[in-house]
Amino acid sequence: MPDATFTEPTTIGAPSGETVCRVVDVRKRFGAQEILRGVSLEVKAGEVLCVLGPSGSGKTTMLRCINHLEKIDSGQIWVDGGLVGYREHRDRLYELHEREVARRRANIGMVFQRFNLFAHMTVLENITMAPVLVRRQKRSLAAERARQLLERVGLGDKVDAYPSQLSGGQQQRVAIARALAMEPKLLLFDEPTSALDPELVSGVLDVMKELAADGYTMIVVTHEIGFAREAADRIILMDQGVVVESGPPAQIIDNPREQRTKSFLSKVL
Amino acid sequence: MVSNRELTDLQPEPTGTRAADIRAVPVRHPGRWLGAAAVAVLMAQLVHTLLTNHRFEWGVVGQYFTTKSVLVGLLHTVELTVLAMAIGISLGVILAIMRLSQNRVLSMTSWAYIWFFRGTPLLVQLIFWYNLSALFPRLSVGVPFGPEFISGSANAFITTYVAGILGLGLNEGAYMAEIVRAGILSVDEGQVEAAYSLGLKRVQVLWRIVLPQAMKVVIPPTGNQTIGMLKSSSLVSVISVPELLFTVQIIYARTYQTIPLLIVASLWYLAVTTVLTIGQYYVERHFAKGASRQLPPSPLRKLGNDLKAIYDARRYVH
């Protein structure tokens, strides 16, 4: 994709006003250490939110909480109109049955730092497994769709390869295709390029920019300031378990108000 | 300081053609040769005694090797091994999953089972099962502490054969549980998280993602256990199950040809072990899918490579 199409990302897939994900005053501790200390944020449909911040600031934990891979200690997380992990009934919270948790997770795609492709399955099996098992799609239909998705991420010729035969960048693009196959309402990216060799990063970022332009709702934890500037509708900066600053890329990157944002950017830019 | 001119002198002259392969006389290893010679002498002695000591009675070995009763005994041995391993593996998977459960009752029960069955001798367990009717003269199926649906004499249920299979299988379950648990723990956490994030349920994650990948770690020790089971199955001869060892014991009790009949049994054990070893190799290959970029060469291919290496080495020396 030529970069020119992305010069004004906010005009493509502009927020429609419908909230897909809302995080309200979320706290999470591991043992004695409080990783999230009251995080709130909101992502509207079609919006791309980039999360920046130093390591240990709670970015990844926040992402994992949205997918209920971690349980939160207090606060609320809403995805697609439903409370994550719980059901509210007459002012009481009930833990959701794992069947229900799984059903909701199916609508949230997640791309991991370490790809986590299923090592014993081919690329095609990696992508078709969940649509067939969870969405009850016909195998042939799922396979056809998987081929289209692979074509889209530029790996149409790797259908029958095993993950170990692919480079890191290729694996990550397969992982993105695997997430897309479930037609998620929200895509979570957990430092998707941090484990890649430098020359492989751009291939993955290009695919993500394309998704952003196509109107996918995305939360991207990243250290790629260039990507955030180009693809994000909004950027938040997290530090020590709280959101320090939030705003459009131009404001956060070029005119940060908070001292902590300034000092973080001075280290990474 | 080394001047530039001297440096260039040190560079090899470009010859235009590819440099010749190195031809050097290999290092000699007199110690190894002495050791090999000593071993060769011992081996020769062994072969000599095998051939010339008439007390081996090779004729008797040949005579009984394929008699019907020995073959029936062999069949029972294989049957015992297969059934006991089937029980052992199924039980092992269940116990491993229980052991890793967050429910303390389940994990502690599994722990206690493994503790008990690994902690008492197999031979004792076998004799115990054989004598179960002394403890529970009647066995029944029904509601716990409630009405019974089927009941009968324990001796009718627990024949010697059933006692043998139960004893071997239940004991094996304890060992397999630890093997399967190690396999499950070897699977990367990220694989499980990725599966959950796609909306899979716990059971699906276990069957589709964790267990298939655990197989790579589980199979080699399981092959080991199966070969061990083949031989442990001879222990059930003490409770008169007519397997291979018991069969040859019956024969030599009558004919007093103890040594040749034990050789008959040993040769059959070796034969089945060989078949199992080959089988294990191919199962391992099957589950190596995706684990490495290339499948390892097959044994024939490896032999070919070795012969080629020896041939090449000889060519160098001459």
Side-chain angles (χ1 to χ4, degrees):
Chain A
M1 285 291 288
D3 275 359
T5 35
F6 299 110
T7 43
E8 289 177 284
T10 43
T11 59
I12 312 162
S16 69
E18 186 202 334
T19 299
V20 172
C21 175
R22 173 180 286 149
V23 174
V24 187
D25 197 23
V26 162
R27 289 171 182 273
K28 168 74 187 172
R29 58 168 62 250
F30 290 109
Q33 204 179 3
E34 195 161 38
I35 302 294
L36 299 180
R37 302 184 300 139
V39 172
S40 298
L41 58 90
E42 196 168 312
V43 185
K44 297 198 188 321
E47 201 179 19
V48 176
L49 175 72
C50 279
V51 184
L52 306 180
S55 60
S57 59
K59 311 182 297 284
T60 293
T61 304
M62 196 262 308
L63 212 58
R64 291 166 59 84
C65 288
I66 292 175
N67 209 1
H68 205 47
L69 286 174
E70 305 286 355
K71 274 187 189 172
I72 57 176
D73 296 325
S74 74
Q76 291 179 333
I77 301 178
W78 299 81
V79 173
D80 195 27
L83 211 50
V84 170
Y86 302 93
R87 186 165 54 85
E88 215 172 6
H89 184 66
R90 287 188 191 149
D91 290 342
R92 278 185 84 164
L93 281 183
Y94 295 85
E95 246 183 65
L96 285 181
H97 192 272
E98 67 137 331
R99 189 176 342 121
E100 193 60 23
V101 173
R103 206 175 60 80
R104 293 198 186 176
R105 272 196 192 125
N107 292 325
I108 306 172
M110 181 136 181
V111 175
F112 297 85
Q113 183 177 353
R114 304 236 25 116
F115 332 132
N116 296 346
L117 291 181
F118 305 127
H120 60 305
M121 297 181 181
T122 63
V123 164
L124 190 75
E125 289 165 338
N126 260 282
I127 300 174
T128 57
M129 185 196 65
V132 170
L133 268 181
V134 179
R135 296 265 193 251
R136 306 271 164 214
Q137 270 180 27
K138 265 179 127 176
R139 203 167 284 280
S140 56
L141 183 82
E144 194 189 318
R145 175 116 175 81
R147 282 174 210 280
Q148 287 168 7
L149 286 167
L150 281 172
E151 212 58 67
R152 178 173 181 175
V153 298
L155 294 170
D157 55 333
K158 300 291 184 191
V159 172
D160 294 319
Y162 281 98
S164 60
Q165 295 163 327
L166 303 179
S167 74
Q170 292 171 330
Q171 288 189 54
Q172 193 60 297
R173 283 183 279 156
V174 172
I176 292 173
R178 178 174 70 177
L180 293 179
M182 292 298 281
E183 292 169 356
K185 302 216 164 101
L186 174 65
L187 273 170
L188 307 176
F189 292 86
D190 182 12
E191 303 195 21
T193 57
S194 296
L196 296 179
D197 290 340
E199 79 272 20
L200 303 175
V201 169
S202 66
V204 172
L205 291 182
D206 285 345
V207 169
M208 291 168 60
K209 285 176 202 164
E210 226 174 290
L211 297 178
D214 283 353
Y216 276 97
T217 311
M218 299 161 51
I219 303 180
V220 185
V221 171
T222 186
H223 292 297
E224 299 287 336
I225 306 292
F227 170 81
R229 186 201 294 277
E230 210 176 314
D233 295 305
R234 217 147 40 79
I235 294 177
I236 62 172
L237 189 114
M238 284 182 69
D239 190 22
Q240 297 179 2
V242 292
V243 175
V244 174
E245 193 168 355
S246 164
Q251 177 203 321
I252 300 286
I253 298 174
D254 301 325
N255 291 303
R257 289 180 199 142
E258 301 290 329
Q259 189 51 47
R260 276 193 281 180
T261 311
K262 285 176 194 162
S263 81
F264 172 74
L265 288 171
S266 72
K267 281 174 202 142
V268 294
L269 277 179
Chain B
M1 274 298 284
V2 188
S3 78
N4 262 348
R5 218 183 62 79
E6 275 174 293
L7 261 183
T8 44
D9 284 350
L10 288 172
Q11 304 291 324
E13 289 292 315
T15 50
T17 56
R18 205 171 71 86
D21 287 346
I22 292 174
R23 295 170 137 267
V25 180
V27 177
R28 306 296 181 198
H29 299 281
R32 274 186 217 168
W33 290 355
L34 267 177
V39 170
V41 169
L42 288 172
M43 294 300 289
Q45 261 188 317
L46 179 67
V47 172
H48 181 254
T49 186
L50 282 174
L51 292 178
T52 57
N53 187 341
H54 63 89
R55 290 190 192 85
F56 277 109
E57 299 186 83
W58 289 107
V60 178
V61 172
Q63 181 196 332
Y64 280 103
F65 194 65
T66 52
T67 39
K68 186 154 179 265
S69 57
V70 168
L71 291 181
V72 170
L74 173 69
L75 189 69
H76 281 148
T77 287
V78 171
E79 216 170 73
L80 276 167
T81 306
V82 170
L83 290 174
M85 278 314 288
I87 293 175
I89 292 170
S90 324
L91 203 59
V93 172
I94 295 169
L95 285 167
I97 294 167
M98 282 171 66
R99 184 101 162 77
L100 295 169
S101 166
Q102 308 221 327
N103 186 309
R104 297 284 286 167
V105 175
L106 294 180
S107 69
M108 285 309 289
T109 305
S110 172
W111 181 89
Y113 182 99
I114 295 166
W115 169 78
F116 181 82
F117 280 90
R118 279 203 312 193
T120 53
L122 176 55
L123 190 53
V124 173
Q125 289 172 28
L126 283 168
I127 299 171
F128 191 91
W129 283 105
Y130 179 63
N131 290 299
L132 192 73
S133 60
L135 195 58
F136 302 106
R138 277 181 70 258
L139 293 179
S140 63
V141 180
V143 180
F145 306 107
E148 295 171 357
F149 303 135
I150 315 167
S151 69
S153 142
N155 275 331
F157 280 133
I158 313 284
T159 61
T160 54
Y161 197 67
V162 172
I165 290 173
L166 277 180
L168 293 172
L170 296 183
N171 181 265
E172 188 58 31
Y175 288 92
M176 282 308 301
E178 288 296 274
I179 291 171
V180 174
R181 187 170 70 98
I184 291 176
L185 291 178
S186 77
V187 178
D188 179 25
E189 188 98 26
Q191 297 280 309
V192 177
E193 288 186 348
Y196 278 137
S197 78
L198 285 165
L200 267 70
K201 283 171 267 180
R202 208 183 298 267
V203 179
Q204 290 173 324
V205 174
L206 190 67
W207 279 106
R208 306 275 175 163
I209 306 300
V210 176
L211 288 180
Q213 292 193 59
M215 291 305 268
K216 197 167 44 116
V217 172
V218 168
I219 286 165
T222 304
N224 219 14
Q225 292 295 106
T226 310
I227 288 166
M229 175 63 79
L230 177 75
K231 291 167 298 163
S232 315
S233 72
S234 65
L235 283 177
V236 302
S237 60
V238 298
I239 56 171
S240 328
V241 178
E243 45 68 70
L244 186 53
L245 179 62
F246 187 76
T247 309
V248 300
Q249 281 174 331
I250 296 279
I251 297 172
Y252 70 64
R254 198 177 61 226
T255 65
Y256 298 104
Q257 292 158 322
T258 312
I259 296 294
L261 277 149
L262 287 177
I263 291 173
V264 166
S266 302
L267 287 177
W268 273 120
Y269 283 119
L270 277 172
V272 180
T273 302
T274 309
V275 172
L276 288 175
T277 309
I278 295 168
Q280 179 188 345
Y281 174 81
Y282 284 99
V283 176
E284 263 177 48
R285 249 172 99 88
H286 174 77
F287 281 100
K289 254 187 341 185
S292 50
R293 281 159 211 237
Q294 266 184 329
L295 279 180
S298 71
L300 272 177
R301 175 96 225 169
K302 249 191 260 177
L303 186 67
N305 289 348
D306 287 350
L307 289 177
K308 191 170 177 305
I310 292 169
Y311 175 75
D312 287 348
R314 281 175 58 86
R315 232 173 24 151
Y316 266 144
V317 178
H318 297 306

